[in-house]
Amino acid sequence: MQKADAADGGPAGATASGHQKRRARTERVVLDTTRELLAGSGFASLTIERVAERSGVAKSTIYRRYRSRNDLALAVLLDMLGDVSTLPYAKDTQTELTRLVNRTVDLMSNSLLGRIMQGLVSEVAADVELARTYRETVVAKRVREVTALVERGTARGELREGLDPELVTDLLLGPIYYRLFLSGEPLDEAFGQSLVAALYPAFAKDPQG
Amino acid sequence: MQKADAADGGPAGATASGHQKRRARTERVVLDTTRELLAGSGFASLTIERVAERSGVAKSTIYRRYRSRNDLALAVLLDMLGDVSTLPYAKDTQTELTRLVNRTVDLMSNSLLGRIMQGLVSEVAADVELARTYRETVVAKRVREVTALVERGTARGELREGLDPELVTDLLLGPIYYRLFLSGEPLDEAFGQSLVAALYPAFAKDPQG
DNA sequence: TAATATTGAAACGCAACGTAGCGTTTTATA
DNA sequence: TATAAAACGCTACGTTGCGTTTCAATATTA
């Protein structure tokens, strides 16, 4: 996206001018309309022209903010991701892992985010700019969460030393996305349970079960 | 795709008629040209019209076989996958796992298949028809391989009982595709090694390391 | 009020889509 | 050899959506 912080009226902490507020209002309308269209007919049939028509915002105005349809869709994704709260601590690491996995599974199967991800993944994989934005925000955020979780678990003596947080992230999330994108196998809580149950021995310091 | 076995001139084992041979010839030209175009400028800029132009095969002829660009790309993918040989047995299960993972990693990073997958994944996730074809061929094939591997390993006493082959497949391949599609982290042999090393304790009967 | 920023409206050229109709070439059959 | 059937080539068409441009209108600020 061209301006990551245009929606909130400028850089964090700055007082928004009237011009910025105006910008933010139209941007909100565009994002909401786009989300509605995505929910209705999916990513494949999302067009800038339709967003313009439905939102009442001129096509040229939309193009002033988003270079492409993908740019716009990614903005919606990031916008929605802002609502996702960070994970609370739990008594033991296995519970924390289960919560992390279950949240992702739930997000991908019971909200718009799953559909958006499905439609956007090819563009993220191909478009360098898009990929950069996605990684710097979403991927980085996930890795940070997992890093904290791993450090906590290691300090507790539950996890083995020297675990690579990046690899752990791959192991936790990869299977979820694999089902979402390719295999089509069910994405439900039972899967989340099995996933963590299967993985925990690989992470645990004392692999008793 | 509309006809999965049109390229080889009919159902396996049947003697090909002249008409079928002719069909097969043009189909081969189309597939080869498409692969070249994919190698050259990627999936995003693949168009039926360009394939027609470059191959000398009329647009209408192409449309008589493939309903869409995605249909055609998937055909190329399946065509290329035909060359991938099945895995040989190895002394121990860990070696077999490493080979399986390394082959996939190599395929996705050092051949056209990676780029095709990147471009096609969104369509596979969205298009029901396409997804069905992909699952019935590629996914099913992988699961079959893993199933055989797991059974062998269990019989050897190396793997724990009751492993779910589908889940094992998710765990082995998910992280690879996650890197290919989203995280952008390197896809190399070192990664394959770490992946199997990290996962093996989760599969092994006696998790000594 | 004057200057500036943001938006709206309309029109444009372009690329590719997917379809249709019809004639041509190749293969099979009588 | 004549004829049918299958596959293919060619051209033209209407449609969609792209992304850009130009200019007028509106809202904010000084």
Side-chain angles (χ1 to χ4, degrees):
Chain A
M1 289 166 337
Q2 290 164 313
K3 302 192 177 181
D5 48 8
D8 40 351
T15 58
S17 78
H19 285 313
Q20 288 170 331
K21 280 183 185 172
R22 198 188 176 197
R23 259 186 102 85
R25 274 199 304 273
T26 54
E27 183 138 341
R28 183 105 306 276
V29 173
V30 171
L31 288 177
D32 289 345
T33 306
T34 305
R35 198 177 54 224
E36 288 169 18
L37 286 176
L38 281 169
S41 33
F43 181 89
S45 53
L46 177 73
T47 67
I48 300 276
E49 302 214 327
R50 225 166 283 182
V51 173
E53 195 182 10
R54 281 267 286 244
S55 65
V57 175
K59 197 171 94 168
S60 49
T61 299
I62 300 178
Y63 270 108
R64 281 181 191 115
R65 277 186 190 51
Y66 307 101
R67 286 207 301 296
S68 65
R69 181 187 70 151
N70 300 331
D71 213 13
L72 174 55
L74 180 56
V76 172
L77 190 145
L78 297 182
D79 185 51
M80 293 183 72
L81 235 49
D83 301 337
V84 177
S85 59
T86 58
L87 281 173
Y89 292 61
K91 300 152 237 175
D92 57 296
T93 301
Q94 186 155 11
T95 306
E96 291 188 353
L97 286 170
T98 305
R99 284 191 188 162
L100 175 71
V101 167
N102 278 347
R103 189 194 60 180
T104 307
V105 166
D106 181 65
L107 229 53
M108 290 303 145
S109 54
N110 298 327
S111 84
L112 242 190
L113 284 174
R115 284 181 80 173
I116 299 182
M117 282 304 301
Q118 287 182 331
L120 208 55
V121 54
S122 282
E123 316 297 336
V124 169
D127 187 327
V128 181
E129 275 295 297
L130 218 63
R132 215 174 51 85
T133 306
Y134 181 81
R135 280 159 202 169
E136 288 178 357
T137 54
V138 185
V139 173
K141 187 175 180 178
R142 292 281 166 83
V143 172
R144 256 182 278 124
E145 277 189 330
V146 172
T147 302
L149 192 153
V150 165
E151 282 176 359
R152 219 153 48 226
T154 309
R156 280 167 171 162
E158 297 183 280
L159 300 186
R160 58 179 62 175
E161 316 266 326
L163 277 180
D164 177 12
E166 220 137 46
L167 186 62
V168 173
T169 308
D170 292 342
L171 288 168
L172 290 171
L173 301 185
I176 299 176
Y177 287 111
Y178 181 68
R179 292 205 164 192
L180 180 68
F181 295 149
L182 296 177
S183 93
E185 295 293 315
L187 263 182
D188 49 26
E189 199 158 331
F191 169 63
Q193 298 289 347
S194 319
L195 187 57
V196 174
L199 279 175
Y200 194 70
F203 301 153
K205 185 170 195 174
D206 184 24
Q208 80 292 10
Chain B
M1 289 170 333
Q2 289 163 314
K3 302 192 178 182
D5 48 8
D8 41 348
T15 58
S17 77
H19 284 312
Q20 288 170 332
K21 279 183 184 172
R22 199 190 176 196
R23 255 187 104 84
R25 274 200 304 274
T26 54
E27 184 138 341
R28 183 105 306 277
V29 174
V30 170
L31 288 177
D32 289 345
T33 306
T34 305
R35 196 176 57 222
E36 286 168 19
L37 286 177
L38 280 170
S41 33
F43 181 89
S45 54
L46 177 73
T47 68
I48 301 276
E49 301 213 326
R50 225 168 283 182
V51 174
E53 195 182 12
R54 281 267 286 244
S55 66
V57 175
K59 194 170 101 172
S60 47
T61 300
I62 300 178
Y63 271 107
R64 281 180 191 118
R65 277 193 191 50
Y66 307 101
R67 286 207 304 294
S68 65
R69 182 186 70 150
N70 300 331
D71 212 16
L72 173 57
L74 181 56
V76 172
L77 190 146
L78 297 182
D79 185 52
M80 294 182 72
L81 235 47
D83 301 337
V84 177
S85 58
T86 57
L87 282 172
Y89 292 61
K91 303 151 236 175
D92 57 295
T93 301
Q94 185 156 11
T95 305
E96 291 188 353
L97 285 171
T98 304
R99 283 190 189 165
L100 175 70
V101 166
N102 278 346
R103 189 194 59 179
T104 307
V105 166
D106 181 65
L107 229 52
M108 290 303 146
S109 54
N110 298 327
S111 85
L112 242 190
L113 283 175
R115 283 181 80 172
I116 299 183
M117 283 302 302
Q118 286 181 333
L120 208 56
V121 54
S122 282
E123 315 297 335
V124 169
D127 187 326
V128 181
E129 275 295 296
L130 219 62
R132 215 174 51 84
T133 306
Y134 182 81
R135 281 159 201 169
E136 288 179 356
T137 53
V138 185
V139 174
K141 188 175 180 180
R142 292 282 167 82
V143 172
R144 255 182 278 124
E145 276 188 330
V146 172
T147 303
L149 192 153
V150 166
E151 282 175 359
R152 219 152 49 226
T154 310
R156 281 165 170 164
E158 296 183 281
L159 299 186
R160 58 180 64 176
E161 318 265 325
L163 277 180
D164 177 12
E166 220 138 47
L167 187 61
V168 173
T169 308
D170 292 342
L171 288 167
L172 289 171
L173 302 185
I176 299 176
Y177 287 111
Y178 181 69
R179 291 205 164 193
L180 180 68
F181 295 149
L182 296 177
S183 92
E185 294 293 314
L187 263 181
D188 49 26
E189 198 158 331
F191 169 63
Q193 297 289 346
S194 317
L195 186 56
V196 174
L199 278 175
Y200 194 70
F203 300 153
K205 185 170 196 173
D206 184 24
Q208 78 293 8

